[in-house]
Structure formats: C-alpha cells, structure tokens
Amino acid sequence: MAAGSATSSSWALLLVSILSAAFLFGVGDAGAVHKVVDPEWHQATATWYGSAEGDGSDGGACGYGTLVDVVPMKARVGAVSPVLFKAGEGCGACYKVRCLDRGICSRRAVTVIVTDECPGGYCSLGRTHFDLSGAAFGRLAVAGHGGQLRNRGEISVVFRRTPCKYRGKNIAFRVVEGSTSFWLSLLVEFEDGDGDIGSMQLKQANSAQWQDMKHIWGATWSLTPGPLVGPFSVRLTTLTTKKTLSAQDVIPRNWTPKATYTSRLNFA
C-alpha cells in the first residue's frame, strides 16, 4: 500500500506540473486558459531615442502611425532588435523592462509595446536590445533622476514578456491606404493578451471559406485574389499561444481605405 500511495502521489504531482505549464505558457486547445506569462527576467540592454520626454517613434516599422502618440500607446512605445521584432511578427507584444543600478533605477518596471524595429548599431549582431521612448526610458529611474539616467546612454536592463492590456478597447482593423477589391490590406490594433499575430484569415460575404492572408510587414496582412466582396469576417491566431478569435462581418460591404473598423471582441 505504501508503494502504491507513493506512485499515486507521483502521478498527481506530474499532473499538477503539466497543468501549471499549460496555464503559464498557453499550451492546449482554443478553449483552454491562455496567458502570456514569463516568470523569468532576461538580460538585455537599452537606449532611448526622440525627445527627452517624448513618445519615441513617429509611426514606426509596425505601421501603427499616429496611434503611438496617443493613449494607450503614448509614451509606452519601443523599438526592439531583430531578435524580438521577428520580421514584424513581434509587433504589438508587450514587455516589462527594469534597469539594474539601484543607485538611480526604480525597482518598478515599465511596460512597453513593440511598435518599431531597431536594426543596426546597438541592435545588431544578434543582441537583445530595447530602444525606448525618452519618456519610457526616464521612468526607469527613481523620481527626479530621469535626466541623469538618459545621460548615461546605453544601460543594462532585465526584461520579461507580459500580457498586453488595452482597457476599454476592442481589436480594430485599419484598412491600409491603397487597398482595393483586388488587394486588401489590414492593420491590427489593440490586441490584448499576446499582442502578436501568427496568422490571419479573411472570409468574404456569403462564403464559408476562410482565406489565408499574407504577412507583408509590421502588423499588416494582405489578401490579393479578387474581386473581394464584403462584408468581411476576420480570424486572428496569436503567434505565442496560438489562441484564436473570429470577428464576424467586422468590415462592412462599403468599406473605404484608411478607415478603421472596431470589433466587439478582444482576447481575455
């Protein structure tokens, strides 16, 4: 009996470990609990760009445009090295970043959103690097020492992945300028949770078929066979945890380029 009890206990512990891993890293089917949680801090370096108290990039390689200058992205944007940019598939991911010098750095981490790529200089040669807005970089310091920290230039930091949270926002789709019924391009905005996109599909009016869209750059995806007939439904699958969301008829029949259409959904 003692041996049997020990064996049962071992199996129970193994099951708990598996379920815990699934909870932390999003393993499982679409109905499972998914979270972008990284309990470990990783080493990196950081610099800043733009004006000292500014928002950072004016648009950026992810294509968010003027969204980087307004809440909820305002002052939380960051360019990252290719290791984290992932040829644009890392766009929208959120990270906590904290600097290490206790003499000047706050113990509180700042949350930044990937909106741009930093391809050269400090960001080259496979390094993991954050080039932050002046405002975000300054907030790494204890109160009143933001300017002193910015004067140091490059600093050592630690970072970890964290879920994105756009309170009061649902996922929106901006129709990229130049789109036609033969070439439709969409930019995804305000994606909670993972923040990143692994695949994207579109379904036309009166159709049961989902068509694969092609990732072209940043947070932008396109579909070229036409003519395309709206209204369009859009299905997203996240890159990190493979969670799926479908926005039915989110883009109307009479859509127009440069317009943004907001869904009623977001990732929990």
Side-chain angles (χ1 to χ4, degrees):
M1 290 295 293
S5 298
T7 301
S8 298
S9 298
S10 298
W11 278 109
L13 289 172
L14 178 60
L15 180 59
V16 169
S17 299
I18 292 171
L19 291 174
S20 298
F23 178 78
L24 287 174
F25 299 106
V27 179
D29 59 28
V33 175
H34 293 71
K35 285 195 175 183
V36 184
V37 176
D38 187 349
E40 300 295 330
W41 291 94
H42 307 279
Q43 299 289 328
T45 50
T47 48
W48 64 279
Y49 67 124
S51 58
E53 295 292 342
D55 302 326
S57 60
D58 181 12
C62 290
Y64 296 124
T66 56
L67 286 179
V68 302
D69 299 320
V70 295
V71 176
M73 287 190 177
K74 182 179 177 65
R76 299 172 65 201
V77 308
V80 292
S81 57
V83 172
L84 298 179
F85 190 70
K86 302 174 185 176
E89 290 189 338
C91 287
C94 298
Y95 293 90
K96 287 188 178 294
V97 180
R98 179 165 54 86
C99 64
L100 300 174
D101 185 342
R102 292 191 176 183
I104 191 173
C105 294
S106 170
R107 295 186 180 183
R108 183 184 68 253
V110 299
T111 300
V112 297
I113 305 162
V114 175
T115 64
D116 203 355
E117 181 180 22
C118 171
Y122 292 115
C123 296
S124 61
L125 303 176
R127 296 180 65 186
T128 303
H129 187 84
F130 291 83
D131 199 17
L132 306 179
S133 70
F137 194 90
R139 288 173 187 169
L140 292 171
V142 295
H145 289 78
Q148 184 180 347
L149 184 64
R150 282 190 290 268
N151 287 339
R152 293 191 177 185
E154 184 188 23
I155 62 172
S156 295
V157 297
V158 289
F159 74 98
R160 68 181 183 184
R161 187 75 178 272
T162 190
C164 295
K165 298 177 182 178
Y166 297 105
R167 299 189 187 282
K169 295 284 188 180
N170 286 331
I171 292 175
F173 302 91
R174 187 197 312 164
V175 180
V176 175
E177 183 176 7
S179 291
T180 70
S181 59
F182 289 87
W183 182 80
L184 178 64
S185 183
L186 303 176
L187 177 83
V188 184
E189 303 172 352
F190 304 128
E191 182 192 330
D192 278 350
D194 290 15
D196 55 25
I197 304 168
S199 66
M200 189 161 151
Q201 297 171 305
L202 183 138
K203 185 169 65 175
Q204 298 185 60
N206 302 318
S207 174
Q209 180 184 3
W210 289 99
Q211 298 173 272
D212 290 330
M213 301 187 76
K214 181 180 180 181
H215 179 230
I216 50 176
W217 62 281
T220 305
W221 296 68
S222 71
L223 187 64
T224 53
L228 302 169
V229 180
F232 303 121
S233 300
V234 181
R235 183 162 66 189
L236 300 177
T237 302
T238 65
L239 180 67
T240 302
T241 65
K242 312 302 181 188
K243 192 173 183 181
T244 298
L245 177 149
S246 297
Q248 298 297 324
D249 297 334
V250 65
I251 300 173
R253 181 182 297 274
N254 59 341
W255 59 269
T256 58
K258 298 196 291 184
T260 299
Y261 301 99
T262 302
S263 74
R264 298 180 180 181
L265 305 169
N266 214 323
F267 290 105

